[in-house]
């Protein structure tokens, strides 16, 4: 029947790519039109270079991490699909939904129309994969454990630093008086203090949202 055909097609696309790209026709057929017994998470975005949407690219990276975590988990099923609609491929969808900003994440439930809570509050929460997974769990009861690809940049940087310091000490092994230089240690200590009190360290600890809406005038 029609429902089985739609599910089979979505599963085939998911087997090739964790996030299914959709244009207007695919969106109306697989997301909006009944029958449907599955949930669909849609990222509305504008990834083309001419749009100059850096936030869209960053959010898309987190979205891909989340979709891959779901696609390759043991709990993967045909009850949830991740899709994406780019403005340049589905401008009619943006117009149909009266959407004038990107990126936007929406959940389309198996039955009925999306409610207010089915639109992810990106401005307040941010777009980290873990936050998206929590929101999806609230809307669908599907719990996704986020797996991130290993990042060895920190390990490589630390190894290079240790090698540099070790090489310097080896070359100066006959004259190590500079180790007892108070001015050098004072400068190093100041650098650490400035780094620890910087805005970047505050962001790292507090995890504030990427953007915030002014409650008085509504501007982002």
């Amino acid at each position: 029947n029609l429902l089985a055909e739609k599910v089979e097609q979505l599963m085939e696309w998911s087997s090739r790519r964790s996030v299914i790209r959709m244009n207007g026709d695919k969106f109306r057929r697989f997301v909006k039109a009944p029958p449907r017994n599955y949930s669909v998470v849609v990222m509305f975005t504008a990834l083309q270079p001419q749009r100059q949407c850096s936030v869209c690219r960053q959010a898309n990276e987190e979205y891909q991490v989340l979709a891959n975590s779901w696609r390759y988990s043991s709990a993967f099923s045909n009850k949830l699909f991740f899709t994406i609609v780019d403005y340049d491929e589905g401008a009619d969808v943006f117009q149909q939904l009266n959407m004038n900003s990107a990126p936007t994440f929406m959940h389309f439930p198996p039955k009925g129309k999306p409610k207010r809570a089915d639109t992810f509050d990106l401005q307040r929460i941010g777009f980290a994969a873990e936050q998206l997974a929590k929101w999806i769990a609230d809307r669908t009861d599907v719990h996704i454990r986020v797996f991130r690809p290993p990042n060895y940049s920190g390990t490589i940087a630390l190894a290079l630093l240790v090698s540099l310091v070790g090489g310097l000490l080896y070359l100066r092994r006959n004259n190590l008086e500079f180790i007892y230089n108070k001015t050098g240690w004072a400068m190093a200590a100041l650098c650490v203090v400035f780094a620890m009190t910087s805005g970047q360290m505050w962001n790292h600890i507090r995890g504030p949202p990427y953007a915030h809406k002014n409650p008085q005038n509504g501007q982002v």
Side-chain angles (χ1 to χ4, degrees), residues 19-28 30-32 40-48 51 53 55-60 63-64 81-109 114-115 118-120 122 127 132 135:
V19 177
I20 303 171
R21 298 190 70 91
M22 288 193 167
N23 54 23
D25 293 336
K26 289 182 180 179
F27 176 83
R28 282 183 285 272
F30 292 95
V31 179
K32 293 286 289 183
V40 183
V41 177
V42 184
M43 177 183 179
F44 298 93
T45 186
L47 294 173
Q48 296 301 319
R51 300 298 175 187
C53 182
V55 180
C56 294
R57 292 191 293 271
Q58 296 171 20
N60 181 59
Y63 191 57
Q64 295 289 340
F81 296 98
F82 288 88
T83 67
I84 187 170
V85 177
D86 192 281
Y87 180 80
D88 291 279
E89 298 174 3
D92 53 334
V93 178
F94 280 73
Q95 296 174 0
Q96 180 182 353
L97 298 176
N98 295 321
M99 192 173 298
N100 54 14
S101 64
T104 299
F105 297 94
M106 288 187 64
H107 165 250
F108 291 83
K115 301 178 181 178
D118 287 307
T119 299
F120 182 68
L122 182 146
F127 46 73
L132 286 168
W135 168 67

Side-chain angles (χ1 to χ4, degrees), residues 39-211:
S39 292
V40 183
V41 177
V42 184
M43 177 183 179
F44 298 93
T45 186
L47 294 173
Q48 296 301 319
Q50 64 268 22
R51 300 298 175 187
Q52 298 181 353
C53 182
S54 59
V55 180
C56 294
R57 292 191 293 271
Q58 296 171 20
N60 181 59
E61 292 176 0
E62 293 295 307
Y63 191 57
Q64 295 289 340
V65 168
L66 178 61
N68 286 328
S69 299
W70 167 242
R71 173 64 184 84
Y72 296 105
S73 71
S74 58
F76 175 73
S77 68
N78 58 8
K79 298 301 181 182
L80 175 65
F81 296 98
F82 288 88
T83 67
I84 187 170
V85 177
D86 192 281
Y87 180 80
D88 291 279
E89 298 174 3
D92 53 334
V93 178
F94 280 73
Q95 296 174 0
Q96 180 182 353
L97 298 176
N98 295 321
M99 192 173 298
N100 54 14
S101 64
T104 299
F105 297 94
M106 288 187 64
H107 165 250
F108 291 83
K111 296 181 180 179
K113 296 181 179 180
K115 301 178 181 178
R116 182 175 182 180
D118 287 307
T119 299
F120 182 68
D121 193 351
L122 182 146
Q123 295 178 357
R124 183 176 65 87
I125 304 176
F127 46 73
E130 290 78 7
Q131 297 298 332
L132 286 168
K134 183 179 179 181
W135 168 67
I136 290 173
D138 292 338
R139 306 311 304 162
T140 66
D141 289 330
V142 174
H143 297 271
I144 304 174
R145 183 180 177 184
V146 176
F147 291 96
R148 293 184 178 275
N151 186 353
Y152 299 107
S153 58
T155 303
I156 294 174
L158 179 61
L160 289 175
L161 178 61
V162 171
S163 299
L164 180 63
V165 173
L168 179 62
L169 292 176
Y170 178 77
L171 293 175
R172 299 288 301 272
R173 61 187 181 277
N174 296 326
N175 182 13
L176 298 178
E177 293 181 0
F178 68 94
I179 295 180
Y180 304 99
N181 189 303
K182 294 181 179 180
T183 303
W185 284 109
M187 295 297 295
L190 282 175
C191 289
V192 173
V193 169
F194 290 148
M196 293 299 105
T197 57
S198 68
Q200 178 58 37
M201 183 56 64
W202 188 91
N203 288 336
H204 181 73
I205 296 173
R206 296 292 297 273
Y210 185 86

